[in-house]
Amino acid sequence: MIPTPFYLIDEARLLVNMRKIDALRAASGAKALLALKCFATWSAFDIMRPYMDGTTSSSLYELRLGHEKFGKETHAYSVAWSDREIDEACSYADKIIFNSVGQLTRFEAQSAGIKRGLRLNPRFSTSGFDLADPARPFSRLGEWDLAKLLGVAELISGVMIHYNCENRDFALFDDQLGRIERDFAPLLEKLDWVSLGGGIHFTGEGYPLDALAARLKAFSERFGVQVYLEPGEASITQSTSLEVSVLDLLENGKTLAIVDSSIEAHMLDLLIYRESAKLPQQGDHAYQICGKSCLAGDIFGEARFPAPLKVGDRISVADAAGYTMVKKNWFNGVNMPSIAIRREDGTVERIRDFTYEDYLSSLS
């Protein structure tokens, strides 16, 4: 048994998502790029590569990782490229996407050898969190002035439009894409490709994949563009658990179980967005599952079990792939979870352990 804590990637479950992505690609003509900001565990790329067209990044290091470890098509985006990054970024990228007209014109000469794009901000989104809303007031993410965009249209061949966030509603997607078509048609008609970003929960249970495929194909044909999607969470949803063990039990108005992990260190989005982990909910024995860091709010959430917990019992925290391994940190010096993959034949391969030396080398 692998000592806890560890992230356990289930190959069979990951392939469920991959096959849905592949089916959407075939039916729509759209291409799918893995969004590395959500999931960059490159040991799993061999599983994903046959079903996806490449990667998209948010920084130079993500870009280089996608280029070296995933291959295929590589899109480079950053909110702002620096002078010392731009030449290296262009050397890895098939397409470079600038966040602003200012960045596009500033690096026009350096990026002349590859395809260029701009981030388009439609000034609406599906995000329920102000923190994550790319269309929030005074947003720095992308350009929205059509005249300004048309003024540099000859410098670009495409745009990236990231405005969905955990959007499970196809009707809403359809309506908002229609708004983009109406508002930005004069620009879209000049382009060769359009990325509609990520955040479309099309691998979720019951999502109308056929309707999405038809809508993407119609958009592509109307404007004569290659459509790209950038699935992050949709690529890895329900594929991974965080395996933890109970270290202590105590009573303080509730029965508390302290485990050998931490949301601040290992599932940071739970803390940022004040959400609960996906924990077991079967049985009559209720517990609050708590992390081991000194942060008072280091709490995974409420859980229920068929029998009382004991020290040493293991708990699986479900759906733990997205924005976890890419955000894990050394807060409190709590050891990082190992990474393992359960292969289709049931064998578990231990991919990576993290040690004191890793902690030491992260500091100075």
Side-chain angles (χ1 to χ4, degrees):
M1 295 288 287
I2 300 173
T4 58
F6 64 96
Y7 300 103
L8 180 60
I9 302 167
D10 190 305
E11 182 175 18
R13 292 185 179 182
L14 182 57
L15 284 169
V16 171
N17 297 328
M18 292 297 102
R19 289 168 183 141
K20 288 182 180 180
I21 290 172
D22 200 34
L24 180 63
R25 291 164 69 212
S28 68
K31 294 185 176 183
L33 305 174
L34 174 63
L36 297 175
K37 65 180 181 179
C38 174
F39 182 82
T41 305
W42 50 268
S43 294
F45 288 176
D46 285 347
I47 304 170
M48 308 172 82
R49 189 178 297 106
Y51 304 93
M52 304 189 77
D53 297 284
T55 57
T56 186
S57 55
S58 300
S59 67
L60 180 62
Y61 285 174
E62 281 188 354
L63 168 62
R64 181 174 175 178
L65 178 73
H67 173 76
E68 292 182 350
K69 296 297 186 181
F70 200 102
K72 305 183 82 169
E73 191 165 349
T74 306
H75 286 204
Y77 168 75
S78 174
V79 172
W81 297 103
S82 70
D83 289 331
R84 67 178 182 272
E85 292 177 324
I86 190 65
D87 289 336
E88 187 177 357
C90 290
S91 75
Y92 300 137
D94 297 292
K95 294 182 177 68
I96 188 163
I97 300 162
F98 294 103
N99 186 65
S100 69
V101 168
Q103 284 254 303
L104 170 66
T105 55
R106 178 180 173 187
F107 296 122
E108 179 182 350
Q110 293 93 326
S111 60
I114 59 174
K115 294 180 180 179
R116 292 180 294 221
L118 269 173
R119 179 166 183 167
L120 189 159
N121 188 335
R123 291 193 282 185
F124 56 79
S125 81
T126 67
S127 176
F129 297 97
D130 180 67
L131 181 66
D133 185 357
R136 62 190 288 177
F138 317 112
S139 175
R140 61 192 165 86
L141 300 176
E143 299 278 8
W144 53 85
D145 186 301
L146 180 59
K148 189 176 180 182
L149 289 161
L150 287 171
V152 294
E154 74 280 359
L155 297 180
I156 63 173
S157 58
V159 293
M160 185 267 281
I161 318 170
H162 180 55
Y163 61 101
N164 288 284
C165 182
E166 293 289 318
N167 184 6
R168 296 170 169 80
D169 186 342
F170 170 73
L172 177 60
F173 172 81
D174 180 28
D175 178 70
Q176 291 190 335
L177 186 57
R179 289 175 63 183
I180 290 170
E181 290 172 323
R182 292 189 297 273
D183 293 348
F184 296 99
L187 176 66
L188 297 174
E189 290 164 354
K190 295 177 179 295
L191 302 177
D192 298 326
W193 56 272
V194 173
S195 172
L196 296 175
I200 309 166
H201 200 66
F202 63 87
T203 55
E205 190 69 29
Y207 192 94
L209 270 180
D210 291 342
L212 177 61
R215 186 66 176 93
L216 294 175
K217 187 173 184 179
F219 178 86
S220 173
E221 291 175 348
R222 175 178 174 182
F223 295 105
V225 294
Q226 173 64 60
V227 172
Y228 288 88
L229 299 178
E230 301 178 4
E233 188 71 39
S235 299
I236 45 76
T237 185
Q238 303 297 329
S239 70
T240 300
S241 60
L242 174 60
E243 301 293 315
V244 302
S245 293
V246 177
L247 300 178
D248 195 16
L249 299 161
L250 63 154
E251 296 284 338
N252 191 7
K254 290 183 176 180
T255 305
L256 311 180
I258 298 173
V259 299
D260 56 357
S261 182
S262 160
I263 63 166
E264 180 160 19
H266 307 151
M267 297 190 77
L268 186 58
D269 267 14
L270 297 180
L271 185 65
I272 292 173
Y273 296 109
R274 298 185 180 275
E275 295 183 329
S276 295
K278 295 178 181 177
L279 295 161
Q281 299 295 334
Q282 301 296 320
D284 297 329
H285 301 274
Y287 294 84
Q288 184 177 87
I289 308 303
C290 308
K292 68 173 293 184
S293 83
C294 67
L295 180 71
D298 191 353
I299 297 169
F300 284 83
E302 308 294 325
R304 304 187 72 87
F305 300 91
L309 290 179
K310 307 181 299 297
V311 170
D313 282 350
R314 294 200 175 190
I315 300 171
S316 290
V317 182
D319 206 8
Y323 299 98
T324 54
M325 286 170 269
V326 294
K327 288 191 174 186
K328 66 187 186 301
N329 60 73
W330 288 108
F331 178 66
N332 267 195
V334 175
N335 194 27
M336 286 187 182
S338 303
I339 298 173
I341 298 177
R342 179 189 287 124
R343 300 297 180 183
E344 281 194 285
D345 63 5
T347 60
V348 176
E349 184 179 349
R350 193 167 171 175
I351 300 297
R352 175 70 194 272
D353 293 320
F354 297 91
T355 65
Y356 170 74
E357 285 67 32
D358 295 306
Y359 169 63
L360 186 68
S361 65
S362 73
L363 302 166
S364 60

